[in-house]
Amino acid sequence: MGNIASCCVSPSGSPKLPRQVERLEDYQINTDLSDDTGPYLQHISDREVPDDLALESNPSDHACASTIFLSKSQTDVTSFCKRIKCWSFLKVSPGLLSKKYSSCSTIFIDDSTVSQPNLKSTIKCVTLAIYYHIKNRDSDRSLDIFDEKMHPLSREQVPDDYSRTDPEHKLIYRFVRTLFSAAQLTAECAIVTLVYLERLLTYAELDICPSNWKRIVLGAILLASKVWDDQAVWNVDYCQILKDITVEDMNEMERHFLELLQFNINVPASVYAKYYFDLRSLADDNNLSFPLEPLSNERAQKLEAISRLCEDKYKDLSRVAMRRSFSADNLVGIRRSNAVLS
């Protein structure tokens, strides 16, 4: 967006470029002044969404609102829990337990944290959230810019039933995994991608469906990589990953995506943390465990060193706080007097 090759208008020219050459009268501002008022400017309160409505409709903007993908996954999770209860009632094992538990001899630790999520597990959870968005959608509202039939990503012929067949989770995972591996994107970028996707569905009142999921996901990844990563991937680089797409098409899709987001690309830390922990909840509900690694001696020594460093730091802070609390008494010295008992 700040680069020449990745901005909305490429040097070679976009097919929509002639739109910018329009009559000057279309951009003239009404400067007629009345007797007691100046030019009309919309007040900021008229543009803001009320708090009660914002919490319900904009989960990608407010940390208190529940995420859309988690609510859409509840129906399938409920049926899954019923199957588990049925298995336990009939004394039928659902399969081998994949979850590892710590013991006296072995301790398993989870390296995935909110600041450094595990890449593979995060992509699995994000694609699972997209899968539930498609499967439990309310309707098929879409735009032509995201339609794969009108803007194909490859030269292969799009099937006739492309808009009626829901993609499997494995297909969504392979598509996103290929983009992240080729562009060397981080796990944090995957979480921001999901935030932008749900913000697009909320702002533009769209549905992610079989006919548009690839281009919507691609646009969200494109935007998230530019906002999150310091060294962003240019649009021309995505054209090398997806061989049959043009830079002009990428620029046009990026411009539409930003306009539909109303250029709101801010992701507060509280919203990011909410999406991360909701993805962890989604993984637990669908029996997707984050990788647990046994605690090695080398890792244990590093954790112990970090713990000691933090402990010494907090001790120094507590001593400074104690000195500050006695600063007024130190002006005249701390005096102790004997108690008088009567």
Side-chain angles (χ1 to χ4, degrees):
M1 298 187 339
N3 303 321
I4 296 177
S6 64
C7 62
C8 295
V9 180
S10 62
S12 59
S14 175
K16 296 292 183 179
L17 187 58
R19 290 176 48 200
Q20 298 181 357
V21 183
E22 298 182 7
R23 295 179 305 171
L24 183 61
E25 292 82 4
D26 297 337
Y27 296 94
Q28 288 181 350
I29 302 175
N30 185 11
T31 57
D32 294 338
L33 302 178
S34 59
D35 296 337
D36 53 351
T37 59
Y40 173 73
L41 293 177
Q42 188 182 21
H43 194 268
I44 189 172
S45 61
D46 298 332
R47 290 176 283 162
E48 291 180 346
V49 182
D51 292 338
D52 53 351
L53 180 61
L55 291 177
E56 296 177 359
S57 59
N58 296 329
S60 61
D61 292 329
H62 301 273
C64 298
S66 59
T67 53
I68 303 176
F69 70 87
L70 197 60
S71 61
K72 287 184 177 294
S73 66
Q74 294 303 316
T75 54
D76 290 15
V77 170
T78 303
S79 61
F80 177 78
C81 294
K82 289 181 179 179
R83 292 198 302 269
I84 293 294
K85 291 182 180 179
C86 180
W87 289 333
S88 61
F89 177 75
L90 298 175
K91 297 182 179 179
V92 177
S93 175
L96 296 176
L97 295 177
S98 59
K99 189 174 182 179
K100 300 178 181 178
Y101 296 91
S102 300
S103 62
C104 297
S105 59
T106 305
I107 300 177
F108 292 96
I109 58 175
D110 184 1
D111 283 340
S112 181
T113 61
V114 66
S115 58
Q116 292 182 345
N118 181 268
L119 178 60
K120 184 177 180 180
S121 300
T122 303
I123 294 179
K124 280 186 177 181
C125 293
V126 170
T127 52
L128 183 61
I130 298 173
Y131 167 77
Y132 280 124
H133 264 289
I134 300 174
K135 183 178 180 181
N136 300 325
R137 64 188 182 276
D138 298 328
S139 60
D140 293 327
R141 298 170 298 179
S142 182
L143 293 175
D144 293 342
I145 189 63
F146 299 122
D147 193 288
E148 192 176 354
K149 187 76 171 180
M150 303 181 65
H151 302 275
L153 297 179
S154 63
R155 296 180 181 177
E156 298 179 0
Q157 186 176 2
V158 180
D160 295 334
D161 59 343
Y162 78 105
S163 60
R164 298 188 299 270
T165 305
D166 293 345
E168 296 292 335
H169 177 221
K170 293 182 180 179
L171 178 61
I172 304 174
Y173 173 76
R174 285 198 297 266
F175 178 76
V176 176
R177 179 69 177 177
T178 301
L179 292 176
F180 270 73
S181 300
Q184 298 181 356
L185 302 178
T186 60
E188 297 88 346
C189 184
I191 299 177
V192 178
T193 297
L194 185 59
V195 175
Y196 287 157
L197 188 146
E198 292 203 342
R199 187 174 294 175
L200 174 72
L201 301 182
T202 304
Y203 282 20
E205 297 181 353
L206 300 177
D207 295 287
I208 183 169
C209 52
S211 62
N212 62 11
W213 72 269
K214 283 187 178 181
R215 291 183 62 85
I216 288 181
V217 172
L218 176 61
I221 293 176
L222 170 67
L223 192 59
S225 64
K226 291 184 178 182
V227 174
W228 183 262
D229 293 338
D230 294 332
Q231 296 180 349
V233 182
W234 292 7
N235 291 7
V236 67
D237 297 328
Y238 285 101
C239 295
Q240 296 177 1
I241 301 173
L242 303 171
K243 301 293 185 179
D244 300 326
I245 194 172
T246 62
V247 179
E248 290 79 12
D249 187 17
M250 294 287 293
N251 293 338
E252 187 71 9
M253 182 176 60
E254 180 186 4
R255 179 162 59 246
H256 276 79
F257 208 104
L258 283 171
E259 291 176 353
L260 293 173
L261 289 184
Q262 301 175 16
F263 295 90
N264 180 15
I265 58 176
N266 178 43
V267 179
S270 56
V271 172
Y272 173 88
K274 177 189 66 175
Y275 271 79
Y276 170 80
F277 288 110
D278 281 358
L279 287 173
R280 295 292 299 244
S281 301
L282 181 67
D284 293 338
D285 294 340
N286 290 269
N287 201 23
L288 290 177
S289 58
F290 279 65
L292 298 176
E293 299 294 338
L295 182 62
S296 61
N297 293 333
E298 181 181 0
R299 183 65 185 276
Q301 292 176 0
K302 290 182 179 180
L303 291 176
E304 186 178 1
I306 295 174
S307 177
R308 288 179 180 176
L309 181 63
C310 294
E311 185 178 358
D312 295 340
K313 181 179 179 180
Y314 289 135
K315 284 182 179 179
D316 295 339
L317 292 176
S318 62
R319 290 172 184 173
V320 171
M322 289 290 293
R323 287 198 297 268
R324 289 180 178 178
S325 62
F326 287 116
S327 60
D329 297 333
N330 290 335
L331 295 176
V332 294
I334 300 177
R335 297 181 181 179
R336 296 182 175 87
S337 59
N338 297 328
V340 178
L341 302 178
S342 58

